Amino acid sequence: MNPTLIGIAGIVLMVIVFLTRMPVSYVMTLVGLAGFSLLVSTQGALNMLAKDIYSVFASYGLTTIPLFILMGQLAFSSGISRRLYDTAYKFMGSTRGGLAIATVSACTAFGSVCGSSPATAATMATVGLPEMKRFKYADELATGAVASGGGLGMIMPPSVVLIVYGVLTEQSIGKLFVAGIVPAILITLLFCLAILVWCTIAPQQGPRGESFSWKERIKALGDLGETLLVFALVMGGLFFGWFTPTEAAAVGVFGVVAVSLLRRRLTWKGFVAALYETLRTSCMVMMLIAGAMVFGKFMAVTRIPFDIAQWIEHLNLAPILILAVIVLVYFVGGCFMDSLALVMLTVPIFLPLILHLGYDPIWFGIVIVMVTEMGVITPPVGINVYVVYGVALGMKEEVALESIFKGILPFLLAIFVGIALIALFPQLVLFLPNLMY
Amino acid sequence: KTVTLTYSNFFPPTHIQSQLAEQWCQEVEKRTEGRVRIKYFAGGTLTPANQTYGGVLDGISDIGMSAFAYTRGRFPVMAIVDMPLGYPTGVAATAVANAVQAKFQPEELANTQVMYLHAHGPGIIHTRGKPVRTLEDLKGVTIRSTGFSAEMVKALGATPVAQPMPEAYQSLQKGVVDGSAHPIEANQGWKLGEVVHHATMAYSVGYTTAFFVVINKDKWNSLEARDRETIEAINAQWAVKHGEAWDSSDTEGLRAFFQQGNSAFGLDSREAARWEAAVAPMIDAYGQKLEDDGHNGKAILKAIRETLKNHR
Amino acid sequence: MNLIWKAFQWITDKAKAAGGLCLVGMTVLTCADIIGRFFKYPIFGSVELVTFMGALAVAFALPFTHQTNGHIGVELVVRRLTLKTRLIIHILTGLAGSTLFAVVAWRMWVYGLNLNQAGEVSMNLQLPEYLIVLAVAACFFVLTIVILRGVIEAFGQLKTK
Ligand code: NA
Ligand code: NA
């Protein structure tokens, strides 16, 4: 049978089996295994399965995930995140959707030190979800903000996708990082705008709270003293290069424990509960990544991304239309595949085409990252959405999966607008790197 | 009848070593008149670097390219090629790797069919901030390195920090480490030239990393005899091409390195001899370990040094 | 039967505790490494050790995560069905899941044995990584049993209906 047909059948089968409520990660693994054995060999597929799962579990880069989740859990069980949001509320609470805006901005700040998008989503969901619910924010807005905000971790440097892109296309990674800053801020602003518009149309989603005087606000900030110190240590340490992301997470855990013990907020029981909840969430996230990896191998051997890229190469269209088709391919591809695998498979084919059309490779890299950022929140394979859903379940703040998918729509729209702006005004991306190099 | 094979390579698709592998696939298809076709997967999209060899045994891919060093302990004999034996060029290192394999036929490679081997040009120490001109300058300096290069770093008196290559850029950029041991090529290929300042061209202790291209034995034996012959002829040509490509990459890497305003130092003959003496115990110990395990460690080392002499 | 379930419940609980210990270990080792680095004495190979502990933490959490419904699934359709249909679907997906992870456990066990036979060790500390692989395989085996238990319980519910 034709590999392309098997690939499409695999996607359809996966979506159908999703509906049985079988865990999403199990389904991706199962369908990936079946497809790979059809296309390569049963023996090869069985061996690939075990090795892929092990290599995801035993990946140093991914050890940031359990550690940052643990930091978030400890901040939650010792009341640190509660105080953080109380303070944010005093500053932003009187604006409609203000806490969601604060959360999205925090995601960008967190993303500026962490290169992994599920890690950003998981951390921010642990800290932010229960708090936003406490202030009567609707599920859609609260979960949509953290799931989409998590993706900002990928555009905002450092970014794993940008490093891979830089190595693949022989572009300066430093230049790519610098180029990512303005678009990341632009998307953050567009997200905030989306929240404002959304809460104007549906005010019950992010209700306006009371307003506070500046005196009260400054006092609230003062209460955060040592907590801010911990976060400054984590962020500053990463920024100034005292440690790597995994190390920063460990320092964060250590700092949060120290602060909570100092304030006598952390009990042994609370500590153990945080450990177990971290294990549960991490296991869920890692199994999702492993499932996406196995399924991605199947997609790779169908050669569908490869065939589509070659098909576009032979299209006779205006440059801007070709660009639009490429963006569409990444958008659709991101629905079914992990972004790194997709970039690895297709960029080498697209790049000569893009250069031939006269586009700047640095600029194209940023466009790719922005499009793949959508991939982490689009169904059926939208890792951030599942991560946020899982975190919410674990914190007894159950939300419906549909609510989250509904909640990401305004943010998707915002990213589309962002990409359009960057396509129209490439200088938004290029002026900073041109200034610096 | 046509046979379709899969080929897994961890080198990213735009890397010259990956492009050569892809050209090898096309050449095989052309010269076997289409009887052997190859589906090529680069960038570790089929098997990651440390699972490539096992993947060829286990039927995940039929052909695979990766480095011996990524699976430590699996290739005890071939590993000796990676030692800091003072490789001057990639061509020399490639010749050494293929010579060792051809002459000693290590048992560790018996379960696959070797197509050919290749190896990169001299791996050297690059630093940020402080330049390294003598062994004393290495005291207390943390150097990102892996496996044997970490042992070399230690033998030279610096402090090895074990980190894989993909971590190198960020670690150096942020100053998590003071330097890194890598081939000159990586200044361009991994963009490391952007985040280091100095290179110490210690050719007398240049190490290498040997790469293999192997095919599943059953698949190889299922090919027609004339096709096997054709492929073997192509292999002999391609091994040379890979070695030469490593050297042209080193040239590019050096250019990128200097374009960043970085500086490079050579060692005078006295200092070079000191460095060589510093790593000698580590090399001898490994040779002895091979002897103890029943391999001809000393004979292999002798053969390597003779091959190297022809390339000086 | 009851005794078997009890034994596996015990294993599940102990694995959970071991996973928690791994998390603590990762934190402590990483912090020690950072402090050591400031004094120019980093712990060589700490990255490797942290990675292994991370792998074990996730693997140890497998049975308990499944048991406490930690993995997410799409409820959209299923929750509109009758209890009987839901139970039947649950049994079918449970069987598929336990078969899948039985295969994962088996292949991973073989993978571990192969690593050992090939003499492969970890890149920097030269540790016998195959032991970690075998431990992860064992966790997948326990997961298989935990899923099977869910299937058998659902079957019992179906019969009493
Ligand atoms: Na980031
Ligand atoms: Na998606």
Side-chain angles (χ1 to χ4, degrees):
Chain A
M1 207 159 84
N2 179 325
T4 312
L5 282 181
I6 294 181
I8 294 168
I11 291 172
V12 173
L13 181 71
M14 178 181 73
V15 173
I16 293 173
V17 183
F18 273 168
L19 299 178
T20 64
R21 212 232 159 269
M22 191 173 182
V24 168
S25 51
Y26 297 6
V27 179
M28 284 194 285
T29 315
L30 199 61
V31 176
L33 169 71
F36 197 92
S37 61
L38 265 178
L39 287 172
V40 179
S41 70
T42 311
Q43 185 212 9
L46 291 178
N47 291 319
M48 180 271 298
L49 176 72
K51 291 178 177 193
D52 272 4
I53 295 179
Y54 180 75
S55 71
V56 169
F57 280 21
S59 143
Y60 179 66
L62 294 177
T63 52
T64 33
I65 292 179
L67 289 177
F68 269 126
I69 294 175
L70 180 58
M71 177 176 139
Q73 282 288 345
L74 287 169
F76 173 73
S77 59
S78 62
I80 285 181
S81 53
R82 192 185 180 95
R83 264 179 290 144
L84 269 176
Y85 268 80
D86 278 342
T87 309
Y89 185 72
K90 289 201 168 117
F91 280 84
M92 315 271 302
S94 59
T95 313
R96 278 199 188 116
L99 284 183
I101 291 177
T103 305
V104 166
S105 315
C107 283
T108 312
F110 191 79
S112 72
V113 295
C114 174
S116 153
S117 129
T120 310
T123 313
M124 290 311 297
T126 320
V127 176
L129 275 190
E131 299 306 320
M132 281 194 273
K133 287 199 97 165
R134 183 157 65 93
F135 289 103
K136 303 273 179 293
Y137 276 55
D139 289 348
E140 285 85 356
L141 178 59
T143 54
V146 278
S148 322
L152 282 167
M154 228 152 56
I155 317 185
M156 193 71 184
S159 151
V160 185
V161 178
L162 281 181
I163 292 182
V164 169
Y165 180 87
V167 168
L168 272 178
T169 60
E170 315 227 288
Q171 295 303 310
S172 154
I173 293 167
K175 236 178 174 175
L176 280 166
F177 277 6
V178 172
I181 296 174
V182 173
I185 294 171
L186 176 73
I187 296 280
T188 312
L189 290 177
L190 286 169
F191 277 8
C192 296
L193 192 69
I195 294 169
L196 280 176
V197 172
W198 186 359
C199 292
T200 310
I201 300 170
Q204 73 286 0
Q205 288 267 325
R208 196 197 290 275
E210 49 189 316
S211 61
F212 294 83
S213 70
W214 275 100
K215 211 174 137 193
E216 287 169 291
R217 288 174 178 176
I218 302 294
K219 187 175 165 292
L221 261 189
D223 282 348
L224 282 178
E226 66 272 20
T227 306
L228 289 182
L229 209 70
V230 170
F231 284 94
L233 183 66
V234 172
M235 303 288 223
L238 264 166
F239 199 79
F240 293 113
W242 301 336
F243 19 81
T244 64
T246 302
E247 292 173 355
V251 169
V253 170
F254 197 77
V256 169
V257 169
V259 167
S260 334
L261 285 179
L262 220 69
R263 290 219 171 195
R264 298 176 188 282
R265 288 284 174 77
L266 189 63
T267 58
W268 174 249
K269 226 176 122 187
F271 178 69
V272 172
L275 279 182
Y276 290 162
E277 202 40 57
T278 303
L279 281 181
R280 227 169 73 101
T281 310
S282 314
C283 182
M284 181 261 298
V285 175
M286 298 295 262
M287 283 299 282
L288 272 173
I289 296 176
M293 176 134 168
V294 172
F295 189 77
K297 289 275 167 77
F298 164 41
M299 286 290 112
V301 289
T302 63
R303 299 209 146 216
I304 292 177
F306 194 81
D307 291 340
I308 292 180
Q310 283 196 326
W311 169 72
I312 293 174
E313 204 180 346
H314 294 112
L315 278 182
N316 241 332
L317 289 174
I320 188 78
L321 285 177
I322 291 198
L323 186 72
V325 176
I326 292 178
V327 167
L328 192 71
V329 166
Y330 275 95
F331 177 66
V332 176
C335 291
F336 304 106
M337 261 183 106
D338 172 60
S339 49
L340 272 186
L342 192 64
V343 165
M344 197 60 109
L345 283 171
T346 52
V347 161
I349 306 169
F350 282 145
L351 191 79
L353 187 65
I354 285 292
L355 293 178
H356 177 73
L357 295 176
Y359 291 109
D360 187 284
I362 296 275
W363 170 86
F364 184 61
I366 302 301
V367 171
I368 296 271
V369 183
M370 289 174 71
V371 187
T372 51
E373 196 211 324
M374 292 194 284
V376 297
I377 49 174
T378 50
V381 182
I383 291 205
N384 277 13
V385 171
Y386 297 134
V387 166
V388 169
Y389 179 68
V391 169
L393 265 184
M395 308 199 76
K396 317 278 179 293
E397 302 282 353
E398 200 163 336
V399 289
L401 200 53
E402 305 94 276
S403 305
I404 311 183
F405 279 124
K406 237 182 254 165
I408 59 155
L409 278 179
F411 296 103
L412 270 183
L413 208 67
I415 305 178
F416 263 119
V417 172
I419 293 171
L421 280 176
I422 281 166
L424 288 174
F425 308 105
Q427 280 310 309
L428 281 175
V429 176
L430 295 173
F431 89 95
L432 253 193
N434 288 344
L435 210 71
M436 291 187 68
Y437 289 86
Chain B
K1 88 186 196 280
T2 64
V3 182
T4 305
L5 302 172
T6 52
Y7 187 150
S8 167
N9 191 345
F10 81 101
F11 278 107
T14 46
H15 196 288
I16 176 86
Q17 297 297 333
S18 171
Q19 287 167 352
L20 275 173
E22 201 167 2
Q23 285 162 23
W24 180 87
C25 298
Q26 288 155 1
E27 188 75 7
V28 167
E29 191 166 330
K30 197 177 98 196
R31 290 192 15 203
T32 60
E33 289 151 341
R35 285 185 300 275
V36 180
R37 288 171 189 277
I38 299 161
K39 280 190 187 170
Y40 180 68
F41 295 91
T45 42
L46 204 49
T47 43
N50 64 342
Q51 293 177 0
T52 305
Y53 193 86
V56 170
L57 291 177
D58 292 342
I60 304 177
S61 76
D62 300 317
I63 308 170
M65 181 193 290
S66 186
F68 293 114
Y70 291 142
T71 47
R72 194 159 181 187
R74 189 189 265 266
F75 306 104
V77 174
M78 289 313 299
I80 204 166
V81 174
D82 289 2
M83 290 271 161
L85 288 156
Y87 292 97
T89 58
V91 167
T94 298
V96 164
N98 282 298
V100 168
Q101 194 267 333
K103 189 161 175 207
F104 296 94
Q105 297 283 328
E107 202 189 310
E108 63 214 35
L109 284 166
N111 46 9
T112 58
Q113 179 71 33
V114 175
M115 299 283 86
Y116 57 88
L117 311 178
H118 58 97
H120 68 58
I124 55 170
I125 288 178
H126 298 73
T127 51
R128 296 169 57 78
K130 193 177 124 188
V132 170
R133 295 168 199 271
T134 61
L135 277 183
E136 285 68 29
D137 291 339
L138 278 171
K139 284 272 168 319
V141 174
T142 53
I143 305 288
R144 184 218 66 88
S145 44
T146 53
F148 280 143
S149 68
E151 278 178 25
M152 175 195 80
V153 164
K154 204 166 149 195
L156 293 173
T159 310
V161 175
Q163 271 176 358
M165 204 53 154
E167 304 271 326
Y169 187 92
Q170 287 196 71
S171 274
L172 284 165
Q173 187 194 33
K174 293 180 163 166
V176 170
V177 289
D178 303 326
S180 160
H182 58 251
I184 300 164
E185 166 265 345
N187 289 314
Q188 165 73 3
W190 288 90
K191 308 283 157 213
L192 299 184
E194 294 176 10
V195 286
V196 294
H197 304 133
H198 311 287
T200 307
M201 307 305 232
Y203 286 112
S204 63
V205 294
Y207 68 90
T208 190
T209 305
F211 300 86
F212 57 79
V213 183
V214 296
I215 182 170
N216 183 293
K217 212 150 200 175
D218 294 337
K219 282 283 160 71
W220 175 251
N221 291 328
S222 75
L223 300 181
E224 288 175 43
R226 55 176 173 164
D227 291 338
R228 289 202 299 256
E229 257 169 52
T230 311
I231 294 174
E232 271 168 348
I234 300 172
N235 290 342
Q237 278 178 296
W238 250 253
V240 178
K241 284 185 190 231
H242 281 271
E244 286 167 354
W246 279 118
D247 287 339
S248 61
S249 300
D250 273 352
T251 312
E252 290 283 306
L254 201 60
R255 197 168 61 197
F257 180 79
F258 285 128
Q259 261 171 8
Q260 298 283 333
N262 299 327
S263 57
F265 318 101
L267 302 179
D268 61 34
S269 58
R270 215 184 117 255
E271 187 64 22
R274 287 182 70 211
W275 287 51
E276 207 175 327
V279 298
M282 151 191 177
I283 296 169
D284 293 342
Y286 196 80
Q288 187 56 48
K289 186 184 165 288
L290 282 186
E291 290 285 338
D292 296 346
D293 294 346
H295 307 291
N296 327 336
K298 288 186 177 139
I300 300 171
L301 274 176
K302 198 167 154 244
I304 293 178
R305 292 196 164 114
E306 261 158 34
T307 314
L308 276 180
K309 242 180 242 157
N310 301 334
H311 283 89
R312 284 247 160 75
Chain C
M1 211 59 181
N2 242 337
L3 200 71
I4 298 179
W5 293 156
K6 259 192 192 151
F8 274 95
Q9 192 56 51
W10 185 84
I11 296 175
T12 303
D13 293 341
K14 287 294 170 253
K16 181 171 83 167
L21 215 61
C22 286
L23 283 181
V24 175
M26 288 163 81
T27 310
V28 172
L29 182 62
T30 308
C31 289
D33 182 37
I34 299 169
I35 294 168
R37 200 169 55 215
F38 270 106
F39 298 103
K40 294 284 174 198
Y41 284 101
I43 301 170
F44 183 73
S46 62
V47 164
E48 230 165 63
L49 291 173
V50 168
T51 308
F52 290 158
M53 281 193 271
L56 286 178
V58 176
F60 283 144
L62 281 167
F64 129 83
T65 306
H66 182 91
Q67 211 170 38
T68 52
N69 264 327
H71 294 294
I72 50 103
V74 182
E75 310 242 3
L76 195 70
V77 175
V78 176
R79 68 163 177 249
R80 294 190 169 86
L81 304 173
T82 62
L83 182 62
K84 196 179 158 194
T85 327
R86 257 188 296 175
L87 280 173
I88 292 172
I89 290 180
H90 182 78
I91 290 170
L92 290 176
T93 58
L95 284 174
S98 51
T99 312
L100 172 69
F101 290 114
V103 168
V104 171
W106 164 49
R107 291 320 303 179
M108 204 175 281
W109 188 265
V110 172
Y111 173 43
L113 294 181
N114 283 343
L115 279 186
N116 181 32
Q117 210 191 3
E120 237 179 276
V121 288
S122 72
M123 194 132 152
N124 299 303
L125 291 172
Q126 306 195 54
L127 298 172
E129 187 172 354
Y130 81 96
L131 290 176
I132 312 279
V133 179
L134 293 184
V136 176
C139 292
F140 273 105
F141 174 69
V142 179
L143 172 64
T144 308
I145 303 292
V146 167
I147 301 178
L148 267 184
R149 183 183 175 179
V151 171
I152 292 174
E153 279 170 359
F155 208 73
Q157 271 179 285
L158 196 64
K159 268 213 281 201
T160 55
K161 283 243 50 162

